Amino acid sequence: MNEFDADAPAPHPGLFPVPAEGERVTVMLAAFEGWNDAGEAASDALRYLRRAFGAQRVGSIDADDFYDFQFTRPTVRQTGSGRRRIKWPTTKISTARVDGHPVDLVFVQGTEPSYRWRAFTDELVEYLDDLEVDYLIVLGALLADVPHSRPIPVTATSENDEVRERLNLEASQYEGPTGIVGVFADAADRHGTPTVSVWAAVPHYVAQAPSPKAQLAILHRIEELLQIPLDTNELAEDAEAWERGVNELATEDPEVAAYIHQLEEAKDTADLPEASGESIAREFERYLKRRGKDNPPAGG
């Protein structure tokens, strides 16, 4: 039995209903470096998924049409043979089939374009059609007044009524400047593709990349949305090491330590009324899934 069996308990439903036998669901995930990606947590989460599922590149968007190379500069890299080559900023599209699950994944990864955003998103919407995408998940990360020593907050919103009801989500109430993640989500929603926006809150006082704890929090939310277990043990170790490193730096500056303590108290006070069973049940469910994966039944 797995998460997609009709008889399996599903206290936290996934993004889509259980497909009929023989059917598959295609989900696109998109992340962009730049304004949308504090600590590069969203981009790093997508890179992890691409590697984990062995994604193969199937397309790209021409960089010359959308980037200011004085702002988003090309880089020089050494090849395995020792030759130097120029790597141009671009947006790559890759795909992967998830073995053992009725899910196909499409990954869109790049850098926020400099101009012609509407034309850029029009090209992405064409991939929604060409690759027969059923759902879109856009990933982002923002700087926030949150303590590094507490679980990283991750919010998910959707403009699609069916998705909101299924996942118990709300529509976004944000008003203000937006990035390419918001523009693409809006274009996909108007196109008719059910879309979920997932954002992690990165402590603003440790905004530099990498941000493995925020990356891990995003991946945990993707686990729930896709109902696919991910092996994140190594990343969890990186997140713990990152947190210890920030703790050590904070002890060297009493003002920073006092500020972090203030954030911790505010977070703990805000969470106290909801220290209820949902978050505990969610963590326990994730633990049982991983335990089952690491200890398959005899003969399995």
Side-chain angles (χ1 to χ4, degrees):
M1 180 180 292
N2 60 47
E3 299 91 325
F4 290 93
D5 291 332
D7 295 331
H12 302 287
L15 174 61
F16 46 85
V18 178
E21 185 174 354
E23 293 185 354
R24 298 187 68 81
V25 175
T26 300
V27 180
M28 176 183 282
L29 299 103
F32 298 89
E33 295 178 10
W35 190 81
N36 316 267
D37 196 16
E40 297 184 7
S43 293
D44 284 343
L46 203 64
R47 288 189 190 95
Y48 164 90
L49 293 168
R50 287 171 54 199
R51 290 193 299 266
F53 293 112
Q56 299 295 314
R57 184 168 171 176
V58 296
S60 62
I61 295 181
D62 188 359
D64 284 350
D65 292 336
F66 302 106
Y67 292 96
D68 178 351
F69 296 130
Q70 289 185 325
F71 179 75
T72 307
R73 290 185 177 273
T75 56
V76 178
R77 299 286 178 88
Q78 295 281 352
T79 66
S81 63
R83 297 186 60 183
R84 287 158 56 87
R85 60 174 297 190
I86 300 294
K87 183 177 180 181
W88 295 91
T90 188
T91 297
K92 301 176 183 178
I93 292 86
S94 55
T95 61
R97 181 184 179 91
V98 182
D99 294 332
H101 298 273
V103 182
D104 295 318
L105 300 177
V106 178
F107 301 106
V108 176
Q109 182 147 27
T111 302
E112 184 174 71
S114 305
Y115 27 63
R116 300 186 65 224
W117 283 19
R118 283 176 288 191
F120 182 84
T121 52
D122 284 346
E123 291 200 25
L124 292 178
V125 167
E126 288 183 13
Y127 277 103
L128 292 175
D129 285 334
D130 294 344
L131 299 175
E132 298 181 349
V133 172
D134 298 298
Y135 296 88
L136 169 66
I137 302 173
V138 293
L139 308 177
L142 71 160
L143 299 179
D145 293 328
V146 296
H148 72 281
S149 53
R150 299 294 186 267
I152 295 292
V154 176
T155 59
T157 60
S158 179
E159 301 304 311
N160 182 275
D161 293 339
E162 182 179 339
V163 169
R164 286 205 307 272
E165 181 177 356
R166 177 170 178 76
L167 298 176
N168 193 27
L169 301 181
E170 296 182 357
S172 174
Q173 301 302 310
Y174 172 75
E175 294 182 307
T178 190
I180 196 63
V181 166
V183 172
F184 182 33
D186 176 72
D189 182 68
R190 288 186 285 104
H191 178 67
T193 303
T195 301
V196 175
S197 296
V198 175
W199 285 79
V202 175
H204 70 87
Y205 53 91
V206 278
Q208 67 275 19
S211 186
K213 193 170 180 178
Q215 178 189 348
L216 184 63
I218 291 173
L219 290 173
H220 282 168
R221 195 58 187 262
I222 292 172
E223 278 186 308
E224 295 169 359
L225 291 171
L226 299 182
Q227 294 288 285
I228 297 173
L230 302 173
D231 181 4
T232 54
N233 291 333
E234 184 175 344
L235 182 58
E237 293 176 0
D238 292 343
E240 291 174 0
W242 173 86
E243 185 172 331
R244 288 195 301 270
V246 178
N247 287 339
E248 292 172 3
L249 290 174
T251 60
E252 299 174 2
D253 189 327
E255 290 187 5
V256 172
Y259 176 66
I260 293 173
H261 180 65
Q262 178 183 350
L263 291 178
E264 290 171 338
E265 288 187 331
K267 175 65 175 172
D268 293 344
T269 300
D271 287 349
L272 196 57
E274 352 170 337
S276 61
E278 180 161 356
S279 60
I280 297 172
R282 183 174 298 181
E283 290 301 318
F284 186 61
E285 180 187 2
R286 186 180 292 125
Y287 163 76
L288 290 178
K289 287 180 182 178
R290 288 180 179 149
R291 185 181 179 190
K293 182 181 178 183
D294 294 338
N295 300 282

